[in-house]
Amino acid sequence: MTIYNLYIFDRNCSCLYYKEWTRQKEAGIPREEEFKLMYGMIFSLKSLISRLSIISAKEGLVGYTASNYKLHYFETPTGFKFVMNTDTSVGNVQDVLRHIYARIFVEYVVRNPVARPGEHVDSELFAAKLDDYIQDLSFK
Amino acid sequence: MSRQGRPQDTRKVSGELFSLTYGALVAQLVRDYEKDEEVNQQLDKMGYNIGVRLIEDFFARSQQGRCHDFAQAADVLTKVGFKMFLGVVPTVANWSAKGDEFSLILDQNPLVDFVELPETHQGLLYSNIICGVIRGALEMVQLEVKVWFVQDQLRGSDSTEIRVKFLKKLEDAVPAGED
């Protein structure tokens, strides 16, 4: 599997972390703008999905497939949003995103007393652990 | 110091060490502040700051999903949350008629194992940190609540009772330009 990039948002619309592994083409807009558009799209998709849903549920969005990439989405009950883009051959990666949240994000960001909630994640340890995990996956 | 493998770590800290450490913390606060009310307030604040992070640890360890009503949240709070972090399961009781308020009855409170309140500190809510933790943790799952002690075994009551009142549901921030 090829993982293109990963966005982590909190519930206040801010992008806490962004990392790309394989990305050949830029979106042609400033990164900040891209984050805003991404969050906006997720937000709108979620609200449309819950409107169309046959039962009343808050969860619904797990991702979408475009012709040349696949977007995966995972949200925690506390409102952290994990968005990952991969190639289209990749199956369900909810467990991968959950792992990133539970074993890497919580461990190295939430439990880090220096990291203040809602601020951009600068921890090198977090970046290194995340990278290790993703590199490991890419070889499978 | 290696942090490898800690997420799945089920190592236990001795309950006594935990109780005594907490006792030392409260004792220090009592020395630092003049009035019991101020200590209570500080404990609540500290608890809040713990709660907003503890909730993430809670979700990382349990497979718990979103709760659909307040009663379910109360259930999870006691049976999963208290069990995980304090090792006791309080009883949920005394629901208000509207279903927006309930009490947690603790028969056993691990924080107060070695504690007696001195005569001079009868206003001290020794375990007030729990109120803060509950408030902080629930706020992160979009529930704004008010939490307070109704009675405390330390102050001569039969059991410890914490009251939780639902105030409002918080919504995710809406991105600029969306309605």
Side-chain angles (χ1 to χ4, degrees), chain B residues 6-165:
Chain B
R6 242 188 50 197
Q8 277 191 308
D9 202 342
T10 48
R11 258 182 311 180
K12 299 224 166 23
V13 173
S14 144
E16 291 188 0
L17 177 65
F18 175 66
S19 308
L20 292 170
T21 311
Y22 181 69
L25 170 84
V26 178
Q28 185 61 48
L29 284 174
V30 168
R31 275 193 289 278
D32 289 350
Y33 292 89
E34 283 175 11
K35 293 197 188 111
D36 286 347
E37 289 73 39
E38 286 174 295
V39 177
N40 297 344
Q41 213 182 348
Q42 281 302 316
L43 284 172
D44 182 78
K45 199 169 133 196
M46 288 167 124
Y48 174 81
N49 288 328
I50 294 173
V52 296
R53 291 184 187 235
L54 199 65
I55 186 79
E56 304 295 346
D57 197 59
F58 171 80
F59 284 117
R61 290 194 208 196
S62 67
Q63 294 290 322
Q64 187 61 49
R66 211 180 267 274
C67 290
H68 296 286
D69 56 37
F70 199 47
Q72 197 191 354
D75 211 43
V76 172
L77 172 70
T78 51
K79 292 194 182 123
V80 192
F82 268 81
K83 181 106 188 61
M84 186 184 292
F85 296 111
L86 282 180
V88 292
V89 179
T91 319
V92 178
N94 305 341
W95 277 95
S96 66
K98 270 164 68 193
D100 63 345
E101 233 182 291
F102 63 87
S103 290
L104 299 168
I105 315 279
L106 286 128
D107 300 324
Q108 211 196 347
N109 178 358
L111 294 178
V112 301
D113 280 349
F114 308 100
V115 183
E116 263 176 49
L117 278 192
E119 290 288 325
T120 46
H121 289 289
Q122 289 301 315
L124 180 68
L125 293 166
Y126 183 83
S127 310
N128 210 31
I129 201 160
I130 298 179
C131 295
V133 173
I134 296 175
R135 186 165 63 86
L138 291 184
E139 186 183 299
M140 297 310 280
V141 287
Q142 289 94 40
L143 290 172
E144 190 176 322
V145 291
K146 188 178 167 205
V147 189
W148 69 97
F149 264 90
V150 179
Q151 46 180 358
D152 190 346
Q153 271 163 338
L154 285 181
R155 299 158 110 183
S157 311
D158 293 335
S159 60
T160 299
E161 180 177 350
I162 299 172
R163 194 91 179 136
V164 182
K165 181 177 168 55

Side-chain angles (χ1 to χ4, degrees), chain A residues 49-95:
Chain A
I49 286 171
S50 76
R51 268 169 214 277
L52 297 182
S53 168
I54 48 167
I55 52 161
S56 106
K58 275 234 157 184
E59 294 107 343
L61 179 63
V62 289
Y64 64 77
T65 309
S67 56
N68 47 13
Y69 75 98
K70 201 166 171 179
L71 179 142
H72 308 268
Y73 179 73
F74 171 77
E75 184 178 336
T76 71
T78 46
F80 285 111
K81 298 163 176 64
F82 293 75
V83 182
M84 183 188 256
N85 287 314
T86 67
D87 70 302
T88 49
S89 69
V90 173
N92 189 328
V93 293
Q94 289 296 307
D95 288 345

Side-chain angles (χ1 to χ4, degrees), chain A residues 115-126:
Chain A
R116 302 176 72 87
E119 280 182 10
H120 187 264
V121 177
D122 298 318
S123 161
E124 284 173 22
L125 188 60
F126 169 74

Side-chain angles (χ1 to χ4, degrees), chain A residues 103-121:
Chain A
R103 297 283 142 75
I104 306 177
F105 188 77
V106 169
E107 183 65 7
Y108 299 104
V109 179
V110 176
R111 287 179 168 193
N112 178 357
V114 191
R116 302 176 72 87
E119 280 182 10
H120 187 264
V121 177

